[in-house]
């Protein structure tokens, strides 16, 4: 199974809502990533988890809170988002966090109203 | 901030044409260079991970070369087919304490017309 799954596919939330994005992989990968992709721009790294520990936070605002409850799961908790946070959020995984190819999920399309 | 650039931004070719695009990156920050293909409404899919200067990799009709000394990689598609239509992204892994961080180029959007 070389699939990374993400739920939900689409999410519309208000600025006062709290929601979570979920990502799952069953490839035994020990590195997982969150990327944000705005229209016509490349994916931008937000967070890296390596062996369930946060190893990179690319100065992401605290209204985005990542969580890695186990080696297969990665969550992104969202609270008090702004309309400019509307984007495609991609999850990826790799064997380890050392430059190996990354396997991407299909993304969650988030709209903040 | 690493600057990874791709050209052209978009490309329209006819079925059967061969095509190529370029990815350039700072040669002083090189550990690995990735190529991904991203079809609309699908997940980005890894094509190649290249690490050695002079490396050449091939997957079917798609191949890539790498020059780490001058900081560029070429992706070639031979005999383009409509199903090759996608955005092709390159990404640099700078090594060191990057912990898997990829810096992506803007992508080349390829459209293959039947």
């Amino acid at each position: 199974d070389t699939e990374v799954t993400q739920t939900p596919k689409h999410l519309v939330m208000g600025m006062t809502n709290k929601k979570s994005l979920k990502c799952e992989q069953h490839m035994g990968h020990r590195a997982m990533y969150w990327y944000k992709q705005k229209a016509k721009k490349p994916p931008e790294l937000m967070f890296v988890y390596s062996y369930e520990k946060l190893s990179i936070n690319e100065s992401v605002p605290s209204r985005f809170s990542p969580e890695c409850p186990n080696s297969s799961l990665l969550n992104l908790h969202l609270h008090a988002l702004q309309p400019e946070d509307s984007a495609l959020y991609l999850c990826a995984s790799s064997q380890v966090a050392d430059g190996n190819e990354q396997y991407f999920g299909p993304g969650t399309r988030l709209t903040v109203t | 901030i690493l600057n990874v650039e791709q050209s052209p931004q978009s490309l329209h070719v006819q079925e059967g044409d061969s095509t190529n695009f370029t990815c350039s990156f700072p040669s002083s920050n090189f550990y690995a260079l990735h190529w991904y293909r991203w079809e609309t409404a699908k997940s980005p899919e890894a094509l190649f991970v290249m690490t050695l200067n002079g490396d050449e990799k091939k997957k079917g009709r798609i191949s890539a070369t790498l020059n780490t000394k001058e900081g560029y990689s070429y992706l070639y598609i031979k005999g383009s087919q409509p199903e090759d239509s996608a955005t092709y992204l390159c990404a640099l892994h700078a090594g060191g304490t990057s912990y898997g961080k990829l810096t992506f180029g803007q992508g080349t959007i390829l459209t293959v017309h039947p």
Side-chain angles (χ1 to χ4, degrees):
Chain A
D1 181 7
T2 57
E3 195 181 14
V4 176
T5 58
Q6 289 188 244
T7 54
K9 285 192 175 154
H10 300 274
L11 178 63
V12 179
M13 62 185 288
M15 290 191 281
T16 57
N17 291 159
K18 282 185 182 180
K19 297 283 184 185
S20 297
L21 309 185
K22 182 179 168 183
C23 173
E24 198 162 1
Q25 57 87 13
H26 295 287
M27 294 177 276
H29 289 173
R30 302 313 298 270
M32 295 185 78
Y33 311 80
W34 280 115
Y35 290 88
K36 175 180 178 179
Q37 197 247 344
K38 302 275 277 184
K40 301 191 190 298
K41 298 277 189 185
E44 289 185 356
L45 183 70
M46 300 173 74
F47 303 105
V48 180
Y49 272 85
S50 178
Y51 291 90
E52 294 100 72
K53 286 188 171 31
L54 184 65
S55 55
I56 293 184
N57 175 342
E58 288 286 288
S59 303
V60 178
S62 59
R63 57 185 185 269
F64 295 91
S65 174
E67 179 198 18
C68 190
N70 61 56
S71 60
S72 300
L73 266 178
L74 185 67
N75 298 320
L76 186 64
H77 302 298
L78 315 172
H79 173 55
L81 294 194
Q82 304 296 309
E84 58 265 29
D85 296 322
S86 299
L88 181 70
Y89 288 85
L90 290 163
C91 172
S93 70
S94 63
Q95 282 188 327
V96 290
D98 69 350
N100 288 331
E101 68 180 292
Q102 295 184 13
Y103 292 76
F104 284 82
T108 293
R109 175 73 60 189
L110 173 69
T111 304
V112 182
T113 58
Chain B
I1 298 176
L2 297 175
N3 198 21
V4 178
E5 294 185 352
Q6 290 187 246
S7 61
Q9 275 192 322
S10 64
L11 198 50
H12 290 257
V13 301
Q14 290 298 125
E15 183 174 355
D17 288 350
S18 293
T19 187
N20 65 84
F21 0 109
T22 306
C23 173
S24 59
F25 52 87
S27 55
S28 57
N29 296 97
F30 178 83
Y31 182 82
L33 195 282
H34 295 220
W35 281 102
Y36 290 85
R37 174 170 58 200
W38 195 358
E39 293 178 66
T40 303
K42 293 191 177 178
S43 310
E45 173 199 357
L47 291 173
F48 306 111
V49 177
M50 309 180 77
T51 55
L52 297 175
N53 184 43
D55 210 2
E56 182 168 346
K57 295 210 171 182
K58 194 173 177 184
K59 196 178 202 175
R61 293 179 291 99
I62 305 178
S63 60
T65 60
L66 178 68
N67 183 322
T68 59
K69 293 185 197 273
E70 295 181 39
Y72 64 83
S73 175
Y74 294 140
L75 189 82
Y76 300 93
I77 302 178
K78 187 176 172 184
S80 304
Q81 299 296 309
E83 57 265 31
D84 296 327
S85 297
T87 298
Y88 290 82
L89 291 163
C90 69
L92 176 69
H93 183 257
T97 56
S98 296
Y99 293 107
K101 175 180 176 178
L102 293 179
T103 301
F104 283 86
Q106 299 272 25
T108 292
I109 303 170
L110 174 67
T111 306
V112 182
H113 299 279

